[in-house]
């Protein structure tokens, strides 16, 4: 955007020569906002208990954009899958075609893959397109999930001082056992001499 001209340079007090005329002012504005709109801005809470061959429950976000010259591409990260339909059609990549220069509001279904080991899975879907002014866009979309394993708690963790006479069992001692994220009942086996 052209601005007003700058003022002339001051006279040099040593040489007595006048300073040069000021140059024309100029303001440069850079637009950095992506034309791709997603809602919500990220997804979290994907979860299931190990071991499971089934994926997590689905979560969704919407996507739309204007001022494009190419379709929107979505690429899922290694441990997630995406679909345009609930319950089916899950894959690694999707393409959203243009209507004119726009992609209307579209629901994307996302799930964490099954058969993963325990741990956290914080990964990004990559969203790509090209604007009408030929600017290539690559935008991450964050997905956070967890595969939880079984937790067993035993209190106390050690029992000591069992004493007895020959051929006579000792007095008993007690432990408490609890668990979470279990997929089967406890199996507790005593060692040979207990």
């Amino acid at each position: 955007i052209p601005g007003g001209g700058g003022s002339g340079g001051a006279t040099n007090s040593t040489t007595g020569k006048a300073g040069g005329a000021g140059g024309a002012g100029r303001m440069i504005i850079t637009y950095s906002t992506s034309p791709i709109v997603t809602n919500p801005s990220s997804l979290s809470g994907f979860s299931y208990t190990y071991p499971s061959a089934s994926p997590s429950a689905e979560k969704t976000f919407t996507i739309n954009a204007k001022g494009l010259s190419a379709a929107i591409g979505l690429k899922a990260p290694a441990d997630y899958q995406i679909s345009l339909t609930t319950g089916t059609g899950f894959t690694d990549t999707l393409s959203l075609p243009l209507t004119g220069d726009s992609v209307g509001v579209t629901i994307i279904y996302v799930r964490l893959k099954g058969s993963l080991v325990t741990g956290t899975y914080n990964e990004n879907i990559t969203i790509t397109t090209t604007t009408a002014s030929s600017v290539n866009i690559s935008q991450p979309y964050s997905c956070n999930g967890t595969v939880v394993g079984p937790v067993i708690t035993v209190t106390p963790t050690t029992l000591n001082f069992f004493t007895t006479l020959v051929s006579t069992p000792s007095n008993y001692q007690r432990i408490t056992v609890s668990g979470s994220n279990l997929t089967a009942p406890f199996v507790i086996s005593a060692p040979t001499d207990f």
Side-chain angles (χ1 to χ4, degrees):
I1 299 173
S7 60
T11 299
N12 188 302
S13 60
T14 302
T15 63
K17 294 181 179 180
R26 176 172 295 178
M27 181 182 295
I28 298 174
I29 299 176
T30 301
Y31 293 95
S32 60
T33 302
S34 170
I36 299 170
V37 178
T38 56
N39 184 41
S41 59
S42 65
L43 291 176
S44 61
F46 296 95
S47 182
Y48 60 82
T49 300
Y50 174 89
S52 175
S54 299
S56 71
E58 302 168 7
K59 294 182 180 292
T60 63
F61 70 94
T62 61
I63 184 170
N64 63 282
K66 294 181 180 180
L68 306 181
S69 63
I72 293 178
L74 296 96
K75 181 173 177 55
D79 300 306
Y80 286 83
Q81 295 174 312
I82 52 179
S83 177
L84 294 173
T85 308
T86 181
T88 188
F90 280 90
T91 184
D92 295 331
T93 59
L94 293 173
S95 181
L96 309 182
L98 295 180
T99 301
D101 68 346
S102 303
V103 171
V105 176
T106 305
I107 300 173
I108 307 297
Y109 298 85
V110 186
R111 69 186 187 184
L112 185 63
K113 288 181 179 178
S115 301
L116 298 176
V117 299
T118 58
T120 45
Y121 294 88
N122 299 335
E123 301 173 10
N124 292 325
I125 297 170
T126 301
I127 305 172
T128 57
T129 190
T130 302
T131 68
S133 55
S134 300
V135 176
N136 294 324
I137 302 292
S138 181
Q139 181 171 318
Y141 186 86
S142 176
C143 298
N144 300 323
T146 306
V147 176
V148 296
V151 177
I152 298 174
T153 303
V154 180
T155 306
T157 58
T158 304
L159 296 177
N160 296 310
F161 307 115
F162 287 95
T163 60
T164 186
L165 299 175
V166 175
S167 301
T168 303
S170 69
N171 291 330
Y172 70 84
Q173 297 186 47
R174 179 181 298 163
I175 61 172
T176 60
V177 181
S178 62
S180 60
N181 304 325
L182 304 179
T183 57
F186 283 124
V187 176
I188 302 175
S189 301
T192 301
D193 298 316
F194 287 82

